[in-house]
Amino acid sequence: MAVIFQLQVEFPFSIKSVVTKFTPTTLVRQSIKTICTKSHKKDPESFGIFCPDGDGFWLDDDCTLISYNPWTLKKLELKKKQTRTITVIYRGKPYSITVDESVPIRQIIQNVIEQTSAPIEEHVLALNGRTLSQDYSFEELGITDLSKVEFVYKKETIATLIKQPLVKKKSKKNDLPTNPIFGKPLVEALGRGDEILQIPVIMNKAISFIEKNKRIECEGIYRIPGSVNRIQQLKKEFDEKDAVDISNVTKSVHDVAGLLKLYLRELPEPLLTYDFYEIFVEIFSINQIWVKMKRLKHLLHCLPTTNYETVKLLSKHMKNVSLHSKKNQMGIDNLAVVIGPNLLRSPEDSYSAVVNDASIQYTICRYIFEESDYLFFGIEKNFLPTFAKGAYEYQPQEEGELFVHMGEIYEVVSQHLEEGGENEDPRWWTVKNLQGEKGLIPSSYVEILENYVPKIEDIEETKKKRGRVMGKLESLRDQIDQLQRSILSLKINNERINNNCLELKQTLNEQKEYRVELEDYIKQQFPKETEEFL
């Protein structure tokens, strides 16, 4: 029997996926056609299967699935191909390179190096003398005219290009009024000062002010409101002046914190954007934390550059604020409550939308602030939950308990400790089996699995084992019912015998009494005969 490859292909910006089975000799091209048919996508020739591992790579349409490492095929995405041919010059010789605009530039550089034999790590792709960031694609950088892209020696470039067009530096004139930044799109606040920025200057200055001189330890920061008059005065200065210096301001830290919240609140679109709101709602509904965090990280990296960099700075700042919660009384939960409505909200302006938004805003923002190291700064974290495997059979004794079957997998939801404090060993755990049933089990009947990720095969095998065990239990129940019926029948027969015995005993007693009465009567009627007889 041939080995079957089971591909689970995900679609970017969605929690949907298609699971399809193929033989090892199936061509990638045929797999794409089958998946497109299943997912109702037209023009399969324009699609490809992309593996996001590492820098990411495309599966070759003309290769078979057996050509790839099976572990590679565990994480795949169906994406539109966006290929184009560019010409690069190296040592005076032109080279035609076919590139995919959606893959990181690092991968394109690697392809160029392979064809030109240029020294690794010494050359980069550049546009107008500025190095293109290798972490992003042409598509993300907003570069459509690839004819101006050059393959150059790294030391000849002067800077790194950001993800969207740079804002040109304005000629500095002291306190000349410019367009206001409050209530305007985020990108219009870039470059308002002495340097080109990816983050609105007001955000940088406000956060820098708050984190200096232990102001971050001020109790109730971001919760206690500042002076309305002073906040409005600061707002007016930022709206009317290109350069505003608040480093020496003697105002309360609550004024500057209130200014930052006011700026975010008056943005025409929240930082996490209206376009992605529904996707954030989908992420909010995911139960598995490791899946939720993976999707959240991917979605955040899809934000417009200025939004992404601003959220990144803000999340790092909120994490710093929470680290001083013993003094400022503002932990991650409190910060998520007061800042959340300024970052994420529904496009619908209704009372029901506001009510529904509250829990989503709080949850998403709490994850963004608390897990900022993982989401923005590349620090890996294992979000996998604890799984346990049944070591012995256990049958529930009370309501709320689950069966424990040998070999079955359980997700440990929480641990209930024995009375006596935290140092006692856990005795009862709340778990969920792979079918989603939740209940209590004794911890001594299972063993912990390290770094376990449930697979479809495990779920199917567990269902089979469960089916076999449940079949045996059903057979035992039938036998028990039959024995109970036999016992009941024996009890009925025994009761009948006892009744017959009682009736017989009663009859014998009656006969004995009758005999005594008869003897007395004979003695009275025939005394002489009786005496002679005796």
Side-chain angles (χ1 to χ4, degrees), residues 197-226:
L197 301 170
Q198 300 179 58
I199 300 167
V201 66
I202 187 174
M203 297 289 295
N204 268 320
K205 289 189 174 184
I207 289 174
S208 177
F209 175 87
I210 291 170
E211 294 192 349
K212 284 183 179 178
N213 301 326
K214 295 187 178 181
R215 297 187 185 104
I216 200 170
E217 297 178 356
C218 183
E219 183 175 348
I221 186 171
Y222 288 108
R223 176 173 53 82
I224 298 175

Side-chain angles (χ1 to χ4, degrees), residues 170-173 175-179 191-194 201 205 237-238 240-244:
K170 297 182 180 179
S171 58
K172 183 176 179 181
K173 294 182 180 180
D175 296 340
L176 280 180
T178 60
N179 293 328
R192 295 287 301 269
D194 299 328
V201 66
K205 289 189 174 184
E237 290 184 20
F238 274 100
E240 294 181 351
K241 300 177 182 179
D242 276 348
V244 180

Side-chain angles (χ1 to χ4, degrees), residues 64 68 71 103 146 155 163 166 199 201 263 266 277 292 334 376 383-384 392 399 401 425 430 457 492 502 509 521:
T64 58
Y68 294 93
W71 289 105
V103 302
L146 301 187
K155 292 184 179 179
K163 280 203 290 185
L166 293 170
I199 300 167
V201 66
Y263 174 72
E266 291 190 357
Y277 177 78
K292 188 193 295 282
N334 292 334
F376 298 103
F383 290 99
L384 291 178
Y392 308 98
E399 186 178 355
E401 296 180 5
D425 291 333
T430 301
E457 310 89 79
I492 293 172
L502 287 174
N509 289 334
Y521 176 78

Side-chain angles (χ1 to χ4, degrees), residues 512-522:
K512 186 176 181 180
E513 291 175 359
Y514 178 74
R515 180 181 177 181
V516 171
E517 289 177 358
L518 182 59
E519 287 179 354
D520 292 340
Y521 176 78
I522 294 173

Side-chain angles (χ1 to χ4, degrees), residues 7 28 31-32 35 47-51 57-59 76-78:
L7 302 187
V28 173
S31 304
I32 294 170
I35 294 168
F47 285 90
I49 296 180
F50 182 75
C51 178
F57 62 90
W58 291 89
L59 271 61
L76 299 172
E77 293 179 358
L78 186 73

Side-chain angles (χ1 to χ4, degrees), residues 387-404:
F387 285 91
K389 184 177 183 180
Y392 308 98
E393 296 287 332
Y394 175 77
Q395 188 169 351
Q397 306 296 318
E398 297 181 6
E399 186 178 355
E401 296 180 5
L402 277 184
F403 279 98
V404 177

Side-chain angles (χ1 to χ4, degrees), residues 285-505:
S285 66
I286 298 174
N287 293 324
Q288 298 87 350
I289 181 63
W290 67 96
V291 179
K292 188 193 295 282
M293 296 309 297
K294 175 185 173 183
R295 298 292 171 83
L296 182 58
K297 182 177 182 178
H298 177 72
L299 184 57
L300 288 172
H301 280 74
C302 293
L303 287 170
T305 304
T306 306
N307 295 63
Y308 173 82
E309 296 296 341
T310 304
V311 174
K312 178 180 177 180
L313 175 68
L314 186 64
S315 68
K316 181 180 179 181
H317 172 58
M318 291 300 159
K319 186 72 173 289
N320 289 340
V321 172
S322 70
L323 294 177
H324 297 83
S325 59
K326 288 187 178 179
K327 293 186 177 180
N328 61 34
Q329 303 299 312
M330 292 298 290
I332 288 291
D333 290 342
N334 292 334
L335 292 169
V337 170
V338 298
I339 301 296
N342 301 319
L343 300 190
L344 179 68
R345 60 179 178 270
S346 170
E348 297 179 13
D349 187 14
S350 64
Y351 175 77
S352 60
V354 172
V355 173
N356 294 333
D357 279 352
S359 60
I360 299 173
Q361 292 166 349
Y362 164 75
T363 303
I364 295 296
C365 291
R366 180 169 61 83
Y367 282 129
I368 290 176
F369 297 160
E370 191 169 21
E371 306 299 343
S372 58
D373 291 342
Y374 167 77
L375 295 172
F376 298 103
F377 300 100
I379 300 176
E380 291 300 322
K381 182 175 179 180
N382 184 10
F383 290 99
L384 291 178
T386 301
F387 285 91
K389 184 177 183 180
Y392 308 98
E393 296 287 332
Y394 175 77
Q395 188 169 351
Q397 306 296 318
E398 297 181 6
E399 186 178 355
E401 296 180 5
L402 277 184
F403 279 98
V404 177
H405 302 296
M406 287 183 62
E408 187 166 345
I409 305 300
Y410 303 88
E411 179 187 342
V412 180
V413 178
S414 63
Q415 297 177 352
H416 295 265
L417 304 183
E418 287 183 342
E419 295 182 2
E422 296 182 356
N423 295 326
E424 297 290 338
D425 291 333
R427 182 177 58 181
W428 290 93
W429 291 351
T430 301
V431 302
K432 286 196 299 185
N433 57 29
L434 295 182
Q435 286 74 40
E437 298 171 333
K438 186 176 179 181
L440 288 171
I441 64 169
S443 60
S444 57
Y445 280 70
V446 293
E447 55 186 20
I448 292 294
L449 297 175
E450 298 292 340
N451 298 323
Y452 171 78
V453 181
K455 303 179 181 65
I456 295 177
E457 310 89 79
D458 295 335
I459 298 175
E460 294 300 325
E461 183 61 27
T462 299
K463 286 181 178 179
K464 290 178 182 178
K465 288 182 179 178
R466 188 180 182 84
R468 289 194 293 268
V469 172
M470 296 305 292
K472 291 180 180 179
L473 285 174
E474 194 64 33
S475 177
L476 286 173
R477 288 195 186 99
D478 291 340
Q479 293 178 20
I480 290 171
D481 289 341
Q482 189 174 355
L483 286 172
Q484 287 177 340
R485 287 193 295 270
S486 299
I487 291 171
L488 181 61
S489 178
L490 288 172
K491 284 182 178 179
I492 293 172
N493 290 334
N494 186 48
E495 189 173 350
R496 285 177 183 170
I497 292 171
N498 288 336
N499 290 335
N500 292 336
C501 288
L502 287 174
E503 290 177 359
L504 181 59
K505 187 175 181 180

